[in-house]
Amino acid sequence: MLHSFEVHDPVGALATMPPQPSRTPQALALSGGTVPTHRLSVRNYLGGPGLAPEDLTMVFLMREDDDKSPTSMPTRTVGDAAEDARTVEALGMRSVKVFAGSRVRDGHASQAAAPTGLMARAIKAVKKATPGLLVMTETCVCSHTDSGECWLADERDGSMDLVKTTAVLAAQAVMQAEAGADIVGPAAMIPGSVQAVRDALDDAGHRDVAIMPHLIFESVLYQGYRATMGAAPRSGARAFQIAPGRPETAVHIALEMVREGADVILTEPALHTVDTLVHLKDKLPVPVVPFSVSGEYLRLTDLKENGERDVSGLVEAYTVLKRAGADRIITYGAVDIARRLKPS
């Protein structure tokens, strides 16, 4: 008997095929069949791309040599940074991100762009120890103001002084570039700050220094960093950070950052912005790099008896980020993860 469909009609062919036996585990068990399983070698072969050390950027939170105060997050002296940079490079990673504040803080963030400050000394030490290691920075005044705010206040009414704030951020970026930074990171999310930094870098002859502004959602996950670096805002809030329920705002701001001159976009917190990462990868012409912040590090690692941290949870989480399109991942756990990934 001839069927009414042509041979090239796959839909019609499927519609008239006899029903196939069920392949569910329950049906297989009832029929005496076996559930298909793959041996480990096949599973590994088919597992898709995993994390690699070069995917990771290590975070350095800096402190002065004589600062012995206890902190919730690990910190480094300038000497530590040079030594640890060699370890980072030896483990196959290509980059570090440096955060540093000032011991002397005031309402003008007067030490933010100091060429002899902690940030400049840390950058120079890392570059001297590992010239080929990429150094990125945070460019912000929150660790240089006595208020912990990311902006400078207008002396007349206490509101943000946009002109003064962007001028300090621009000077800070130039200082970082002259110390050897490869990528500077405006982190205040202040409108016009990326453009101000780009213009200042170009005018100072640093056209080849890249800009990676921070695209930040409001979160409680920054507390470990803020406590360690003394960067908690007196007002209790960061005015320009994005409400968690407004991912479309993040896309709009990121596009504006790119128009102002951003070469890369950093998103944070990493795991709370995976959906935004996916949207940004579709919309932006530049790489997107999630920053796994202090709260993620503390909550997703278990402290072992020997004082080390089990980073298994981070490996799983960062595999998700890479699967979602992350170009690189910035993390406090980079060294421990790279040791785990590197063949012995």
Side-chain angles (χ1 to χ4, degrees):
M1 176 179 177
L2 294 176
H3 296 294
S4 59
F5 59 84
E6 299 293 334
V7 174
H8 65 268
D9 180 5
V11 176
L14 288 172
T16 58
M17 287 177 62
Q20 299 298 307
S22 174
R23 296 283 292 174
T24 65
Q26 295 85 353
L28 286 168
L30 290 172
S31 65
T34 58
V35 178
T37 58
H38 291 146
R39 60 181 62 186
L40 183 60
S41 59
V42 177
R43 180 184 174 90
N44 290 339
Y45 174 68
L46 299 175
L51 281 179
E54 58 265 27
D55 294 323
L56 306 173
T57 295
M58 184 62 190
V59 179
F60 286 178
L61 301 185
M62 302 304 302
R63 62 177 171 84
E64 296 287 4
D65 290 353
D66 60 349
D67 185 354
K68 309 297 183 184
S69 55
T71 59
S72 57
M73 296 298 295
T75 58
R76 290 167 171 79
T77 65
V78 171
D80 295 334
E83 182 178 347
D84 291 344
R86 296 186 187 98
T87 299
V88 166
E89 190 173 61
L91 288 169
M93 290 177 282
R94 301 172 179 171
S95 55
V96 296
K97 185 169 177 69
V98 180
F99 294 78
S102 298
R103 178 166 284 171
V104 177
R105 303 183 182 196
D106 54 38
H108 305 285
S110 58
Q111 297 302 304
T116 57
L118 183 55
M119 174 64 84
R121 287 181 277 127
I123 295 169
K124 290 176 181 178
V126 171
K127 278 298 189 180
K128 182 177 180 180
T130 52
L133 195 67
L134 182 142
V135 175
M136 56 184 74
T137 62
E138 183 211 37
T139 308
C140 193
V141 299
C142 60
S143 295
H144 305 276
T145 57
D146 52 6
S147 65
E149 302 289 355
C150 294
W151 42 270
L152 305 184
D154 189 311
E155 295 178 357
R156 295 169 298 180
D157 58 10
S159 63
M160 186 188 71
D161 189 321
L162 182 61
V163 173
K164 288 183 178 179
T165 301
T166 53
V168 171
L169 293 174
Q172 190 179 30
V174 170
M175 174 275 291
Q176 293 170 353
E178 291 180 347
D182 302 288
I183 301 177
V184 298
M189 290 187 58
I190 293 174
S193 59
V194 174
Q195 184 69 64
V197 166
R198 181 72 274 162
D199 290 345
L201 289 172
D202 291 351
D203 290 346
H206 299 296
R207 294 180 179 275
D208 57 346
V209 172
I211 301 176
M212 181 170 64
H214 294 213
L215 186 68
I216 309 173
F217 279 73
E218 295 173 356
S219 176
V220 299
L221 295 176
Y222 309 126
Q223 301 307 326
Y225 166 82
R226 289 177 179 175
T228 298
M229 300 299 289
R234 184 180 295 164
S235 65
R238 299 292 192 207
F240 297 103
Q241 290 183 0
I242 302 163
R246 299 300 301 272
E248 69 278 6
T249 301
V251 174
H252 172 76
I253 292 173
L255 287 168
E256 186 59 32
M257 288 174 167
V258 172
R259 280 191 287 269
E260 290 186 20
D263 302 286
V264 190
I265 296 293
L266 178 154
T267 60
E268 57 176 303
L271 299 179
H272 287 194
T273 55
V274 177
D275 59 333
T276 305
L277 167 64
V278 174
H279 289 310
L280 292 175
K281 291 295 293 183
D282 287 337
K283 302 288 186 183
L284 299 183
V286 301
V288 182
V289 177
F291 177 21
S292 185
V293 299
S294 57
E296 293 169 314
Y297 174 75
L298 294 172
R299 287 165 172 78
L300 289 176
T301 58
D302 293 319
L303 193 60
K304 297 186 288 189
E305 291 183 359
N306 63 1
E308 296 179 354
R309 285 192 173 270
D310 181 355
V311 294
S312 301
L314 295 181
V315 172
E316 292 182 11
Y318 299 164
T319 300
V320 172
L321 291 175
K322 186 171 181 179
R323 188 176 72 214
D327 291 281
R328 294 289 185 270
I329 300 162
I330 302 170
T331 170
Y332 296 92
V335 166
D336 291 333
I337 295 171
R339 285 195 175 113
R340 172 177 169 147
L341 297 175
K342 195 173 179 66
S344 55

